[in-house]
Amino acid sequence: LIYEYKASTGVIVTFIYYKNLFNKRKWHLILNDILFDKSNNQLQIFEIIFISENISNKEKSIIESYLSIKYGVSLEQNKNYLISNGDTIWNAKKDIDFINRVTAIGNDSILDLKQIRSKNSLDDGLSINVLSNDKDNETNQFTDKSFIIWGDNNKKFSFKKDNLSNKKILERVWRLKTFSNESSQFSAKIVFDRKLINLQDDSNDKQDFIWLAIDSTGTNKIDFKTAKYYRAIIDEKDQI
């Protein structure tokens, strides 16, 4: 099976088989044509993991999740994300309303994974990175088995006025989850690229600002009455 996908967005491939890719010697696989994109001189494969024995579905999911988190390439929407100890950090069924562009950062020593900043390969304009007081070691407070994972509802980057709250609300909404142990204390920076998301402030009122609303109740709909609001800052790079 060869799964065609744009090289610019990426895909996690568990197994590739095509008879013309095998040479005449038994048990040999030739990947010459799919390793390199001759049209733009770019590598097509960033990492190959070879396992010489059968593994369970859970072990396969752990490896796929590791690759997804490391390279910012989302898995198929019906797949869960697992860490090295087998814990599920993203459940496709429970998070079905936010299964688009699932991305994560995390620290997992068993997988040798230290991804402290990431954005999705589809480049939707959102990136998240861990902040630390220790400039020499950014993973200092982001301890082992700590993860932040998020996905969106696939709505447009456009504002609609909500009559109940009298606010202009962005249609796209994200679900963000954090996983950590008691010793892990970290802060994260959420950045939107205003140009990439085509976020335009069409208001003539200079008193209007962009706010980030966070609802920690865990429901699929934000309660704007109880949500916490953080005023956004737009820098010289047009980042929010």
Side-chain angles (χ1 to χ4, degrees):
L1 172 65
I2 291 182
Y3 186 79
E4 293 185 3
Y5 208 80
K6 290 184 178 179
S8 59
T9 56
V11 65
I12 305 297
V13 179
T14 303
F15 179 73
I16 300 178
Y17 170 78
Y18 183 66
K19 64 179 181 179
N20 291 339
L21 293 179
F22 282 92
N23 65 13
K24 295 180 180 179
R25 292 176 297 173
K26 194 176 182 181
W27 310 119
H28 284 72
L29 176 65
I30 300 174
L31 301 173
N32 55 348
D33 290 332
I34 60 173
L35 278 172
F36 201 76
D37 185 353
K38 297 178 182 179
S39 63
N40 55 17
N41 293 327
Q42 289 184 349
L43 286 173
Q44 293 284 77
I45 297 180
F46 292 110
E47 185 167 347
I48 297 175
I49 298 177
F50 175 77
I51 301 173
S52 60
E53 59 186 24
N54 290 330
I55 61 175
S56 65
N57 289 331
K58 175 176 280 190
E59 291 170 322
K60 183 169 71 72
S61 295
I62 292 172
I63 295 171
E64 291 176 340
S65 300
Y66 154 77
L67 290 170
S68 174
I69 296 170
K70 185 175 181 179
Y71 296 104
V73 178
S74 300
L75 300 177
E76 294 179 353
Q77 292 182 335
N78 62 343
K79 290 192 174 184
N80 297 335
Y81 288 71
L82 279 65
I83 59 178
S84 63
N85 61 7
D87 288 348
T88 300
I89 61 173
W90 185 270
N91 187 298
K93 290 184 178 180
K94 292 182 179 179
D95 301 310
I96 192 169
D97 292 329
F98 302 91
I99 56 176
N100 304 281
R101 288 165 286 273
V102 177
T103 317
I105 54 179
N107 189 351
D108 195 322
S109 60
I110 294 178
L111 298 174
D112 194 26
L113 177 68
K114 292 183 180 180
Q115 192 73 22
I116 59 173
R117 61 176 61 86
S118 189
K119 62 179 181 179
N120 195 271
S121 62
L122 293 175
D123 210 1
D124 60 340
L126 169 63
S127 62
I128 298 180
N129 65 278
V130 173
L131 301 177
S132 175
N133 295 327
D134 185 353
K135 295 181 179 179
D136 296 325
N137 183 5
E138 291 183 299
T139 60
N140 183 44
Q141 296 176 325
F142 199 49
T143 58
D144 190 28
K145 301 299 183 296
S146 296
F147 287 86
I148 301 175
I149 187 167
W150 64 93
D152 68 73
N153 62 355
N154 205 32
K155 295 295 182 65
K156 296 180 179 179
F157 277 111
S158 58
F159 285 95
K160 280 190 175 181
K161 187 171 183 180
D162 181 69
N163 294 326
L164 294 176
S165 62
N166 198 30
K167 295 180 175 67
K168 290 183 295 181
I169 298 172
L170 191 67
E171 291 186 76
R172 180 166 293 188
V173 178
W174 290 263
R175 169 167 287 178
L176 184 149
K177 294 183 174 183
T178 60
F179 293 83
S180 61
N181 53 48
E182 295 180 356
S183 62
S184 184
Q185 297 181 356
F186 58 87
S187 299
K189 182 179 181 181
I190 302 174
V191 178
F192 293 93
D193 189 318
R194 191 170 181 175
K195 293 180 180 178
L196 285 178
I197 65 177
N198 296 318
L199 184 59
Q200 302 295 330
D201 186 3
D202 55 0
S203 173
N204 294 321
D205 188 351
K206 294 183 179 180
Q207 299 302 314
D208 277 3
F209 302 103
I210 297 175
W211 297 82
L212 176 65
I214 298 180
D215 182 358
S216 58
T217 58
T219 61
N220 291 343
K221 189 175 182 180
I222 293 180
D223 186 341
F224 290 98
K225 292 183 178 179
T226 59
K228 292 184 178 180
Y229 292 87
Y230 300 87
R231 182 174 170 180
I233 300 174
I234 302 177
D235 62 19
E236 65 278 1
K237 296 181 180 179
D238 220 13
Q239 292 181 332
I240 301 173

